[in-house]
Each structure stands twice: as structure tokens, then as C-alpha cells.
Amino acid sequence: MGKAISKVVAIGVVIVVVIAIVGVVAYLATRPVPTPTTPTTPTTPTTPTTPTTPTTPTTPTTPTTPTTPTTPTTPTTPTTPTTPTTPTTPTTPTTPVTPVVLKVLTRHPSDILVKAREAFLNSEIAKKYNIVDVEFILLAPGYWKSYIESGKPDVAWGGGPTLFDFLYTEGLLAPLTSDVVLSVVKDIPDVIAGVSMKRTGPDGKIYWVAAAIASFGFTVNHQRLDEYGLEAPKSWIDLASPDIGRTLVDFGEPSLGIADPTMSTSNTRMYEIILQRYGWEKGWEILTLMAANARIYEGSSEVRDAVIRGEIAIGITIDFYGYTAELTNPSCEYIAPEGDTIVNGDPIALLKTTQNPEAAQAFIAWVLTDGQKVWLDPDINRLPVNPKVFETPEGQERSDLKRAFEKALEFRAMEFNDTLALMYETAMQYYFKASLVDVNDKLKEVWTTLLSKYFAGEIDEETFKYILGKLGETLTFKDPETGKEVKFTQEYAISINKRISKDAAYRDKMISIWKNAAIEKYEEILKELS
Amino acid sequence: MRSMKINTSFLKYLDPVLAFQLIFPIAMLMVFLIAPLLSVLMVSVEYNPVNVFTDKTFVSPKPRGQLLFIREISFRGEDILLLKLQGISLGAILNSIINASVVTLCATIIGVFVAFILARYNFPGRSALRIIATIPLLLTPFINAFVIKKMFDWRDGLISWFLNDVLHLPIRIGVESLAGVALAQIITFFPIVYLNTHAAMVNIDPSLEEQAENLGAKGFKLFRTVTLPLSLPGIAAGAALVFIFSLEDVAGPIVFNEPRLMSYQIFSMFLEATTGQLSPAAATLALVMLIIALIAFMSIKKYVSLKQYAMLSRGGRWKPRLKKLGKKGLLFIYLVFLPMLLFFAFPQIGVFIYAFAEQWRGALPEGFTFSHMASIVNDPIVFRGLINSLQYSGLALALIILLGVSASYVASRLSHLPGMDILDMLVTMPIALPGLVIAVGYFFFFKDTPLSPIALGPAILLPLAYSVRRLPFTARAVFAGLQQLHMALEEAAMNLGASRLRVLKDVVLPLIGLNILSGALISFVYCMSEVSVSITLGGLKGIGEQHQAPLTFVMKDYITRVGGPHIVAALGVLLISVQIAIIVTINYVLKQRYAYIGV
């Protein structure tokens, strides 16, 4: 009997040891929490837009849950920071004795971060302020507020003006105070293409400053365009033209590439630009025809790669993807549709939770000066915001980016209302996905049939226009709550935006309704055509 | 005598060690396999599964698209005929079922054909051809499908380049969307049928075929009436596995950008799971997939069970009955059969080309470089992924060995206990369970527990998922070893006063050590190259400098980066090397015969 007990003990010991090993290894594997992570999806986390996920942070209550601006009256430029708790301005700008580790909250992808960290730690300024390491925390925007409050990071870097204005109104940003950074900020243009590059509070202090700029447009592959006999597009509306769709009829092959907005922040922003540039109704007609013309990819980087590979001839991309494409494949070119797009400044800011205000501002100063060279890396290709970087040897090697920068300075940008875009963003994303992405094969069938009849001269211009209008019209469907027939207007989108981003079951229901309504509409048009 | 003893006093055998060995695997599999599967069922029922079937993107009564696109076009200043295989869509659920059926049918025809030639005919170079035929089974997630897509691109693909630019035929051929996925799967999966059929064919008593021949059966009649029926169990097992693998394959749809398949739908729903939400529709799709897979599994349950496998792995008891080939036959082998096998092996060759070429944008690769291979170590994200996968697989392996040895030992030594079939089934079932279903189950089941993959990241759940999914490989190998170990040895030791633990340590483990090792090595390879759970659960914390994602997630992420396919190919080369090393070790160093049943 004693033996049996000892056996039991032995087994127990074995189990405990196994569990302990599992625990220790699991702990070791999970230890660096929070780790710098990029979102799972191949999105462009750098784009100066809004969250990848249907999370648009605004309400101070639950930062993890997706929320949208509650008051449609919020001014585009927030002017009143609630509590701009200024960090105590240090009086002695001397070298701190204790080594400093900076915590930087960011939306930049890891390749930028790896390069920036290495360059910064080797810089004079890092040594002067005794900064021994920079820890990057890469989080989806929805988590930023709660992380700032719990993790006490020093600096926020990258994520677009919308996100930074949100942090500003929440009182999470601290004004720049140190001379090191203020002397640098002077070098940065106040306004590029009509867009402010700095956020100045009513107290006259600067709360964030752009560290890079970006525009939205399309990358074309000239070799493919020539082979397909296509002209390079000049504006968004060109992407919706029957000409672009000609390859569908001739080669059974879309020539355009776009990305699913639920997977790509930059593409979301481009659709919002179209919706505001041409108005809601006309905007949706353009989006519908674009989707009919396009192969739809899962993320913006896939679109870029497809253009580089020549799978498509035109892809809608953010500018730095275009520059990367130009470098990778010489037959690629980035085109910014002038007057049809916006330039965004991608900010950097000091957080009010910083424990090392001097060192943190030294890092910001570095990002705005020597750190601008990181953007010039051939794998990154972003437009710097500080023109002085083009005077350095590294800057002189990138005359292509310099030209692009100078072009941006003279750029005619369109008026864009960020706040409005945020108010319908999530609803727009899922409506787009349901009516244009998920049933894309049906949409293409209608479009290809229509085009082949049109090209063959079987239908006249007038009928063609009429059917186009019908195809591009936003859907009418039965609202699951009221049971009434509703149309997907801007007001309706705003009214369901909050619920659709919070409630997965409701969202699934809406997606299903939209999908079926879209199929019905497409089938109806198909019947009309035959 | 022996059985009677067990029947009357099996409780005597159920000492604490044995009890642990019985309870531990059952408990583990209940928590980490059955419970997550049940949670899929629960979530799905709660959501109302009918919604999915009324959704026309999942089930569509009207077919969309065209199978074949033929048109005379003008391309690069030449008038040519464009031929593109595209595929018809009937909604994601039906597409998946149709796709899996087509893939299974084609893979079975090819597999049986290859197996028959290699098992029944002798010719110079036969053993080399046998090796070539298994090359497509070397796992190179994502990049092999990428190579197949590249081969069949009508603009810059090798096939069109060869037809149009080399032979100057006015024709270009393309395979894309649903057809592309099917093609990639057929090429990848046919060796599963081939290997199972081959194993079955060499196990047929040659005298049966001889008798048939004496009675006048020849050629196709002999094959149809004798060889085929006798190898049917092997063929059926291979075919069922191909069906399941095709159903759950997500790499093909991702590479071919084809969302109209169930696997892709589940995968894409997971992309938003970082926010803590997962659409309940994912559970319903997972449930549909699970039911289909379980039906397929039940049809081959007997064949993949521990007992059956132990018989099979002994393999080749008979002297092979090989026919010499005549001139015509030899011509056929070298001019048709060999090129065909090389064509099927091309994706793996293409992986090597991608890994060492500077770039491959046009039809032909350009330049030679080692820099992609060096990136495995130099790129911190890739290297971290590799280290993660090694850690997860190592951890999983420890569990697999513990589970596998325990379960197999109990199953072989208490085989007369009622309900032991259930243990056998539990242990072998994961081979037929789609990984995506397990991923969805884990998400819903562990979401609100301390093991939550959203809060903790995947570092704990991944090794557990791996250990469950890859358990059958080790369990079967160990069981095969135990079958050959007579119980008298253990009884003798026990009679001399050794405890069960001591018997295990000093008698059983040393004697089946090689079986454990070879089973564990196979499990390890399949952990390293696991795709479904890795790219769904594994990506929940994203990738960055200190990420938790496994290697295959990194491969999925890099396949869409600029220059990324080259790095993925380099990782593919690494995986191929590991797999070859392990297969060679098992077959030639450990001299273990193991029937390679599947992925």
C-alpha cells in the first residue's frame, strides 16, 4: 500500500513538474508584454487615418470597445483640451544620471521601428540624455487611451491626425516645452497643402507636430497599362470609367486593384475622400463602379504588390507605397490626383504621462531632425516633414522624394471633414464590404454583361447611363429594428455607426441584409439587360 | 489465457500509474479538444445557424462566373488565343464541398495511377521516381501555392512563356481563382493517395493476383477485378484525408485571393479577432466544416485507428511482384510518367528558385543570391518567428510524448476494457479535424478564461493546439511498437517485484524508444509547419519586434510584403531540409518503417 502511495506521489510530482515547465516556458514566451505588435491584418498601420478595426476612439468610458463620436457637432479642429496637465518643466537641462528607457506608443510598422531604434540609440542626442533604450508599443488605436493611462508611455508617434486630435481633446497630450524640440519645430512648415502640420492650443503651445506627410492616390504599372492599351488615370472618377473595365471583357481580367476597407485604413480613407469629394450619392456610384472594375485585395500592401507584380495595372495606394513600388519595379509610378486628395501630417507628441519629459522631447527633436532620414530608407520611402533633411548627404541621394516633397508643398488639396468621416466610418466599411466585396462576383457579372453590350453597340449611351445610375444607387432595404424600408443614406449610416462597431451579432445581421439586397438588385439589373 | 486473466482481474492492472495514463489523455483531450468543439456547436446554435444557409454568398442557387474563359485577344502586339480556367461559384459552402470533391477525385485518380505503376512495374530508376512522387508532400506553406500561381499566370507565367515565347504558339494559358485553388491542392495532396495506395498494394498477397492471372485475367481486367478492390481500403483512406485537407486548406485560397471558400471565410473573420470579437458566423461555418470532416473521418475510422495502423506500418511482408517493362512501356515511363511527376514536383523546385533568385518578376528568375537565406537569421521578425515555432513545437512535443505514450500504452494493454475504442478514436480523430475548427473552438472556449488568447496572446494555446492536432502521429507509432512488444516481458518484470513505473522505465520505454522517437520527429515536423491554427490564433497579438506569432504566421505575413516571397521561400527551403533530414533519419538511421499517412 505504501508503494502505491509513493507512486501516486511520484505521478503527482511528474504532473507538477510538467505543469511548471509549461508555465515557465509560456511565461518566458509571453513575458515582454505589452510587446510591440502590428495588427494581424496586412493593413497599413502608418496611414494617417483611423483605426484598422472598427474602433474609433472617442468616448472616455471604455477605450477598448469600438465607439464613434457621439456629438456630430464636434468641430474638426478641437480647440479645448480638457486637462492639459503639463509635465513639470525641468529646470536643469543637464545630463540625467540615471539611464533612461523611453516608452513610445506607436502605429508605425516594425521595419520603421527597428531602423529608428538603432539609429536613435547611436545618436549623440541619445547619449547626451543618457537614453539607453527605446521600447516601442504597437497598439491598435482603440487601446491607446487605456494604455496611456496604465502603461505611462512617454511619447506617441504615428497613427494619423484624427487619433492625435482625439488624444488632445482627451487631455492626454502635453505641450512641447523644451528648447531642444522647440528650436526644431520652427523648421517645419506650419501648413502643407492647406493642412496644418502642428496642433496649437489656445494657450499658444504646440501639442503635436507632424513627423511625416502622406497623400493618397494610385500606383500604376506602365508596362501593364501599355499591354492592356489603357491610359493612366488622373482622378478617382477615371477609375470608375468603362475604359478601365474593358480588360474585364477582353481578358477576363480586372485592371484595377482596391482593398477591402474593413482590412485597410488607407483604403478606408480613400473611399471617404471619394464620398466627400463627389458627395454621398455620386460617391457611392463611383465606389460601386470601382469595385466592379477591380480585383479586391485583403489589404493595401497586397494591392501594392499586385501592381509591382503586374497582376493589376492600377492600384489605389498611399503615396509611400507608390514610391516603394517605383523603386522595386521601374515601370511603376505613383500618381496623386490633384485637387482630389488630401495631404495628411502624421504626428508625434509628448504624452502627459511621461516620466522623462526632457529625454522624451529629445527623442521628438531627433525624430524631427536626424530621425527624418529613417523615412528616406529605400524600404520605407515616406515623405519627411522637415525640408532640411534633403540637405544632408542621405537626403541628396533621394532626389525622387525631394521632388515629391516639393510637389506636395504646392499641392492643391481638397476640403476634407475628418469628423464627418469618422461619424459614418464603420457603417461605410461594412456596407462597402457587404454590397461590393462579398458579392463582387455578382457585381462583376452585371458590369461585364453591361460593358460587353455597350462596347458592341447593343445599348445606347442613354440606356447605359440609366443602368449605371441604377447600379450605383445605394441600397434600399428593410431595417431590422423598425421593419421599415430604408435607404443607405449618410444620415442612416451615421445613425447605425455606433451599434455596428460594437455589436457583432447586429453587424452580421446588417451584412447579411445588405448582401442579399445587393444580390437582388444585381439580379434585377441582369434581368433587365437580357 | 491472457485475455481471460485480464477480463477477470483487469482492476488489478489498474494501478495508479496506469490509471494516470488512462485519465490524463482523456482529461487533456476533453479540455483541449472536445470542449472547444462543443463550444463551436453552442455558439453556432445560439446565433441561429440557418442564417448562414439563407445567405447567398454562402449558398447560392445560381451559379456565377464561368469555368473557361476563351477569347482571341491582341497581347504584346500579337494575336493570340487566351484560355483561362476560372471556376464557377455556388457560394462558399457549396464551393468548398465541390472543390474538395473535385480535388479528391483528381488526386485519387492520379495517386492510384502513380501507385500502380510504381508498385507493379520494374524499370531502371524506379526508386528515384518513388522519391520524386513524394516531393509534393514536403510542406512549404504558402510559397508552393504561390509558385503554382506564378506558373499559370497567363502574362508572366512559365507555361505561357514556354508555349508562346519559346514554341511560338499563338496561345496563352491561365489558371486562376477557384480553379487555381483546386489545381494547387491536387498537386499538393495526390501523394497522400499515392502513398496509402502504394502501401495497400504492396501488402496484397501476390498469390491472389497470380491466381487471377492463371485464370486468364490480364491487364486492366486484372487491375479492376483484383488489385483495385484489394487496395480499396488504402485508396479510401487516402481519398478521405485529401478531402478533409482540401476542405480546410487556407493557404491556397489566400494565395489565389479566392474568398469564396469556407476556409477563407473563417480565416478572414479571424482577422478582426484582435479586437476581442469574432463573428458568430465563423462558428457556424466551422460547425459545417466539422460535420463534413467527421463524416469523412467516420468512413475511414477503422483504417486510421491505432490497431489498423500498427498492422499497416509493418508493410511489405510479401516479396514485391514486379513486372519488367517492354520498350513501349519504358518510353511511356521516361517520356510521359517522369515529366508528369517532375511537373508535380515543380512547386518545390520553384521554392528553391525563389529562395536563391534575386528576383523573379517576369517569366524567368534573375540573379543568384544567398541574402534571402541570410534573412532568416538577420531579419529579427522572421528569426523570432522561427524561435517561437521551435519553442511551441518543443513544448507541444513534450506533451505529445506524454499523451501519446500514455494513451497508446493504455490502449494496447487494456484493450479488453470496454470503451477503449473511444480512447482510440479520441487519439486518432485529430488527424481528420480541420485546424480552423479547432482555432474557432479555442477562441470561443478560452476567450473568457485565464488562458484567453486575446489577453495573453497565443503563446500558451498554440502548443496545446499543436499537441492535440499532431498527437496521432506519435500515438500511432508508439502503438505500433507496443503491439510488437510481448506483454510477457512486462509480466515477468512485475512478477519479480518491479512496480509499473519501473517496468515502464526499464522495460517498455527502452524497447519502444525508437518508435517514440520516430513518431515524435514526425509530430515535430508537422507542428513546425502547422498552418490553420497558427495563422488564426497565432496572429492574435500581431507581429513586431518581440512578437509571439509562429513561423507559418510570419510566412503568411511576408508573402504579401515587397520581396517577401523570396524570404518565405527561404523558410520553405529550411522546412524542406528539416523534413528531408527527419525522413532520412527515420527510414535509414532508426530503420523505422512508417506509413506516411498524411499531413
Side-chain angles (χ1 to χ4, degrees):
Chain A
M1 211 44 220
K3 258 194 180 166
I5 289 167
S6 69
K7 270 181 238 155
V8 173
V9 171
I11 297 161
V13 169
V14 169
I15 296 175
V16 168
V17 168
V18 167
I19 291 171
I21 293 172
V22 171
V24 167
V25 177
Y27 173 73
L28 287 179
T30 50
R31 198 178 33 170
V33 173
T35 51
T37 48
T38 54
T40 10
T41 49
T43 50
T44 52
T46 46
T47 49
T49 56
T50 38
T52 339
T53 47
T55 51
T56 49
T58 16
T59 39
T61 45
T62 45
T64 39
T65 46
T67 50
T68 42
T70 35
T71 42
T73 43
T74 324
T76 328
T77 12
T79 41
T80 46
T82 41
T83 44
T85 352
T86 327
T88 41
T89 327
T91 39
T92 47
T94 46
T95 317
V97 201
T98 46
V100 176
V101 176
L102 284 181
K103 276 176 151 182
V104 178
L105 190 55
T106 184
R107 291 280 296 143
H108 287 305
S110 48
D111 49 348
I112 290 179
L113 302 177
V114 170
K115 283 183 174 126
R117 180 169 168 270
E118 196 190 336
F120 176 67
L121 293 179
N122 286 326
S123 69
E124 285 296 315
I125 200 163
K127 287 181 185 120
K128 192 175 155 205
Y129 284 85
N130 203 11
I131 301 167
V132 292
D133 203 357
V134 185
E135 196 185 308
F136 289 112
I137 301 105
L138 225 170
L139 275 183
Y143 300 102
W144 275 39
K145 187 169 184 269
S146 62
Y147 184 77
I148 291 171
E149 279 154 3
S150 63
K152 307 224 176 303
D154 301 293
V155 175
W157 182 29
T162 318
L163 178 59
F164 277 68
D165 278 337
F166 161 70
L167 298 180
Y168 171 71
T169 42
E170 291 288 315
L172 296 169
L173 301 185
L176 299 175
T177 50
S178 126
D179 289 340
V180 193
V181 71
L182 288 176
S183 63
V184 177
V185 167
K186 285 196 197 90
D187 294 336
I188 290 160
D190 286 340
V191 171
I192 293 179
V195 178
S196 174
M197 291 293 121
K198 295 160 191 171
R199 172 71 58 240
T200 314
D203 50 2
K205 288 176 175 161
I206 293 170
Y207 282 84
W208 62 249
V209 60
I213 56 173
S215 68
F216 302 90
F218 8 94
T219 303
V220 297
N221 183 325
H222 281 293
Q223 187 201 337
R224 227 27 123 220
L225 282 177
D226 291 348
E227 285 170 353
Y228 289 168
L230 292 175
E231 296 271 323
K234 291 191 180 59
S235 66
W236 300 110
I237 203 161
D238 290 348
L239 301 181
S241 72
D243 281 339
I244 298 282
R246 194 176 276 277
T247 53
L248 282 171
V249 179
D250 288 350
F251 309 130
E253 188 83 43
S255 53
L256 173 68
I258 64 175
D260 178 348
T262 64
M263 304 291 176
S264 160
T265 50
S266 59
N267 278 256
T268 299
R269 180 46 53 105
M270 286 183 253
Y271 303 145
E272 287 165 354
I273 287 173
I274 292 170
L275 287 175
Q276 294 201 9
R277 171 71 179 77
Y278 297 94
W280 187 262
E281 284 298 324
K282 181 71 183 165
W284 274 111
E285 187 185 314
I286 294 174
L287 291 182
T288 308
L289 297 182
M290 267 171 71
N293 273 334
R295 174 170 284 150
I296 300 179
Y297 291 88
E298 197 192 273
S300 49
S301 55
E302 275 93 338
V303 175
R304 171 198 60 193
D305 288 1
V307 181
I308 294 175
R309 278 203 307 271
E311 201 168 283
I312 47 177
I314 310 154
I316 62 172
T317 63
I318 198 159
D319 62 351
F320 50 90
Y321 274 5
Y323 304 135
T324 304
E326 286 176 8
L327 281 185
T328 322
N329 182 348
S331 42
C332 290
E333 189 198 351
Y334 171 73
I335 300 171
E338 205 159 321
D340 261 9
T341 185
I342 52 171
V343 171
N344 265 174
D346 198 6
I348 187 165
L350 183 66
L351 290 166
K352 72 159 191 190
T353 52
T354 179
Q355 308 290 311
N356 310 290
E358 278 304 304
Q361 292 185 73
F363 175 73
I364 296 175
W366 176 83
V367 167
L368 297 174
T369 51
D370 265 3
Q372 294 280 298
K373 289 176 191 165
V374 171
W375 307 134
L376 305 179
D377 188 286
D379 292 335
I380 294 169
N381 303 306
R382 296 200 54 171
L383 282 189
V385 73
N386 188 343
K388 282 199 168 167
V389 71
F390 291 114
E391 292 162 20
T392 63
E394 292 90 341
Q396 271 157 9
E397 272 175 37
R398 292 306 302 269
S399 53
D400 54 333
L401 288 185
K402 190 180 180 202
R403 271 195 304 277
F405 179 77
E406 281 160 356
K407 230 173 150 182
L409 287 181
E410 296 156 12
F411 203 74
R412 267 188 313 114
M414 58 171 276
E415 291 272 316
F416 186 78
N417 186 342
D418 249 349
T419 317
L420 176 68
L422 262 182
M423 277 156 52
Y424 55 64
E425 184 164 276
T426 315
M428 181 280 281
Q429 287 174 318
Y430 283 101
Y431 175 80
F432 190 110
K433 183 177 164 60
S435 67
L436 303 178
V437 179
D438 287 347
V439 294
N440 195 264
D441 49 0
K442 199 86 214 171
L443 173 62
K444 274 215 170 57
E445 196 182 329
V446 178
W447 181 232
T448 317
T449 317
L450 178 63
L451 281 181
S452 27
K453 284 190 192 274
Y454 176 64
F455 291 144
E458 285 170 36
I459 44 176
D460 56 26
E461 196 75 26
E462 208 172 302
T463 325
F464 183 68
K465 284 263 161 66
Y466 160 76
I467 296 176
L468 273 196
K470 205 164 176 193
L471 189 63
E473 205 183 344
T474 50
L475 295 171
T476 305
F477 52 91
K478 212 175 243 162
D479 183 86
E481 300 297 299
T482 60
K484 281 183 195 144
E485 288 274 313
V486 283
K487 197 171 155 75
F488 190 73
T489 57
Q490 185 166 307
E491 293 68 44
Y492 183 80
I494 293 172
S495 74
I496 59 163
N497 193 56
K498 199 169 175 177
R499 177 134 190 231
I500 211 159
S501 48
K502 266 190 179 162
D503 182 345
Y506 175 73
R507 194 191 58 213
D508 279 357
K509 202 187 281 173
M510 290 311 294
I511 287 179
S512 171
I513 289 171
W514 288 331
K515 276 199 282 203
N516 287 337
I519 288 176
E520 219 167 90
K521 180 174 89 173
Y522 299 148
E523 271 172 359
E524 204 177 289
I525 297 175
L526 214 51
K527 225 179 260 166
E528 222 169 296
L529 278 173
S530 58
Chain B
M1 185 58 196
R2 196 182 112 206
S3 75
M4 195 191 79
K5 207 167 138 192
I6 290 169
N7 274 335
T8 52
S9 60
F10 76 84
L11 275 179
K12 201 182 97 195
Y13 281 81
L14 205 65
D15 53 68
V17 177
L18 216 48
F20 167 77
Q21 289 185 312
L22 177 65
I23 292 162
F24 178 65
I26 292 180
M28 285 291 284
L29 289 170
M30 281 296 161
V31 178
F32 294 105
L33 179 66
I34 303 300
L37 294 184
L38 287 178
S39 73
V40 169
L41 180 72
M42 303 254 296
V43 173
S44 163
V45 168
E46 198 182 335
Y47 164 71
N48 184 9
V50 181
N51 285 351
V52 163
F53 294 96
T54 54
D55 186 324
K56 285 186 181 136
T57 52
F58 292 138
V59 180
S60 156
K62 284 185 194 158
R64 295 173 210 165
Q66 53 190 135
L67 188 60
L68 199 58
F69 179 93
I70 308 176
R71 212 181 158 103
E72 276 176 42
I73 59 161
S74 167
F75 187 72
R76 289 181 188 156
E78 229 183 302
D79 286 330
I80 52 151
L81 186 72
L82 177 61
L83 255 171
K84 291 207 296 182
L85 206 54
Q86 292 179 322
I88 294 168
S89 168
L90 285 164
I93 293 177
L94 293 179
N95 286 350
S96 277
I97 296 172
I98 294 169
N99 178 64
S101 310
V102 171
V103 168
T104 307
L105 184 70
C106 296
T108 305
I109 293 171
I110 297 170
V112 171
F113 174 66
V114 173
F116 182 70
I117 289 184
L118 291 177
R120 287 290 177 268
Y121 293 100
N122 200 5
F123 45 87
R126 178 171 151 267
S127 41
L129 258 61
R130 276 182 64 180
I131 293 171
I132 295 174
T134 52
I135 288 181
L137 215 50
L138 292 172
L139 293 169
T140 48
F142 299 100
I143 187 71
N144 66 326
F146 193 84
V147 174
I148 293 169
K149 185 181 173 192
K150 170 91 190 154
M151 275 167 83
F152 285 95
D153 184 298
W154 63 276
R155 292 151 302 196
D156 293 326
L158 267 181
I159 308 271
S160 289
W161 171 80
F162 184 72
L163 292 173
N164 194 215
D165 295 332
V166 178
L167 299 180
H168 296 291
L169 296 171
I171 189 168
R172 284 189 169 266
I173 290 176
V175 180
E176 40 195 51
S177 59
L178 286 168
V181 175
L183 179 75
Q185 291 178 348
I186 292 168
I187 294 180
T188 315
F189 295 141
F190 91 86
I192 297 174
V193 180
Y194 151 63
L195 285 169
N196 284 282
T197 311
H198 190 272
M201 281 180 178
V202 295
N203 268 332
I204 297 173
D205 185 342
S207 64
L208 294 172
E209 281 183 11
E210 274 156 20
Q211 281 165 18
E213 270 177 340
N214 288 343
L215 292 171
K218 254 195 255 167
F220 188 69
K221 191 171 183 195
L222 174 71
F223 174 75
R224 187 177 58 82
T225 54
V226 181
T227 318
L228 191 66
L230 284 171
S231 37
L232 212 52
I235 298 173
L241 286 171
V242 169
F243 186 85
I244 293 163
F245 293 153
S246 162
L247 199 64
E248 79 138 344
D249 174 52
V250 68
I254 288 176
V255 168
F256 279 91
N257 193 31
E258 181 48 82
R260 295 171 299 176
L261 288 165
M262 259 198 286
S263 56
Y264 188 97
Q265 290 292 326
I266 297 176
F267 159 75
S268 78
M269 286 171 187
F270 242 102
L271 289 177
E272 61 153 359
T274 28
T275 58
Q277 293 193 66
L278 180 59
S279 164
T284 310
L285 288 179
L287 184 68
V288 174
M289 201 182 248
L290 177 66
I291 292 171
I292 300 172
L294 279 181
I295 294 171
F297 172 72
M298 285 308 175
S299 70
I300 55 159
K301 186 174 77 106
K302 209 180 135 234
Y303 188 80
V304 295
S305 75
L306 294 173
K307 239 178 260 172
Q308 185 66 26
Y309 178 84
M311 302 264 294
L312 200 90
S313 65
R314 258 173 245 153
R317 277 161 295 168
W318 318 103
K319 191 178 177 301
R321 187 172 166 275
L322 292 170
K323 261 193 213 147
K324 274 247 161 72
L325 272 176
K327 258 201 191 127
K328 261 192 202 160
L330 285 176
L331 273 179
F332 170 79
I333 293 288
Y334 297 122
L335 293 182
V336 180
F337 193 62
L338 175 65
M340 183 184 99
L341 291 183
L342 284 177
F343 170 78
F344 290 140
F346 186 79
Q348 272 68 15
I349 299 168
V351 169
F352 274 84
I353 299 177
Y354 255 112
F356 292 104
E358 265 168 32
Q359 61 169 349
W360 193 0
R361 201 181 306 130
L364 298 176
E366 294 158 45
F368 178 86
T369 176
F370 279 112
S371 67
H372 308 309
M373 290 304 285
S375 301
I376 297 176
V377 183
N378 292 340
D379 186 325
I381 292 172
V382 175
F383 190 64
R384 172 89 189 179
L386 180 63
I387 298 297
N388 284 346
S389 268
L390 285 171
Q391 278 181 355
Y392 299 158
S393 306
L395 208 61
L397 207 55
L399 261 176
I400 288 176
I401 292 176
L402 196 62
L403 283 171
V405 172
S406 303
S408 306
Y409 188 75
V410 174
S412 77
R413 294 302 179 250
L414 295 180
S415 56
H416 293 81
L417 217 63
M420 216 28 97
D421 282 350
I422 294 174
L423 181 68
D424 189 327
M425 204 178 93
L426 267 182
V427 170
T428 49
M429 190 171 66
I431 206 170
L433 285 182
L436 287 169
V437 179
I438 294 182
V440 173
Y442 272 41
F443 183 89
F444 284 119
F445 186 71
F446 292 108
K447 179 167 70 123
D448 301 319
T449 68
L451 288 180
S452 163
I454 307 157
L456 275 185
I460 293 172
L461 285 184
L462 271 189
L464 287 164
Y466 287 177
S467 61
V468 170
R469 287 206 74 196
R470 304 315 192 202
L471 172 63
F473 299 101
T474 302
R476 289 185 315 197
V478 173
F479 191 87
L482 286 169
Q483 288 290 87
Q484 287 163 40
L485 181 67
H486 203 277
M487 228 177 147
L489 290 174
E490 291 163 58
E491 285 165 348
M494 280 178 149
N495 283 344
L496 293 171
S499 66
R500 175 73 71 179
L501 210 56
R502 180 125 189 245
V503 169
L504 273 176
K505 183 168 77 69
D506 292 343
V507 180
V508 178
L509 290 185
L511 285 169
I512 60 161
L514 288 182
N515 296 75
I516 299 178
L517 187 59
S518 56
L521 285 173
I522 292 296
S523 289
F524 180 75
V525 165
Y526 288 139
C527 286
M528 287 294 287
S529 49
E530 203 276 348
V531 172
S532 323
V533 181
S534 302
I535 65 167
T536 45
L537 277 185
L540 282 183
K541 277 275 171 181
I543 59 172
E545 240 178 307
Q546 293 290 314
H547 66 87
Q548 297 181 18
L551 191 64
T552 34
F553 183 84
V554 173
M555 293 173 89
K556 189 220 126 235
D557 193 71
Y558 270 60
I559 200 96
T560 61
R561 292 193 181 193
V562 174
H566 293 287
I567 296 176
V568 180
L571 289 170
V573 167
L574 181 78
L575 283 179
I576 289 180
S577 317
V578 172
Q579 289 171 64
I580 292 178
I582 285 182
I583 292 170
V584 169
T585 309
I586 292 172
N587 282 319
Y588 298 99
V589 182
L590 304 179
K591 307 239 184 255
Q592 291 292 308
R593 202 185 276 278
Y594 82 97
Y596 205 136
I597 278 205
V599 186

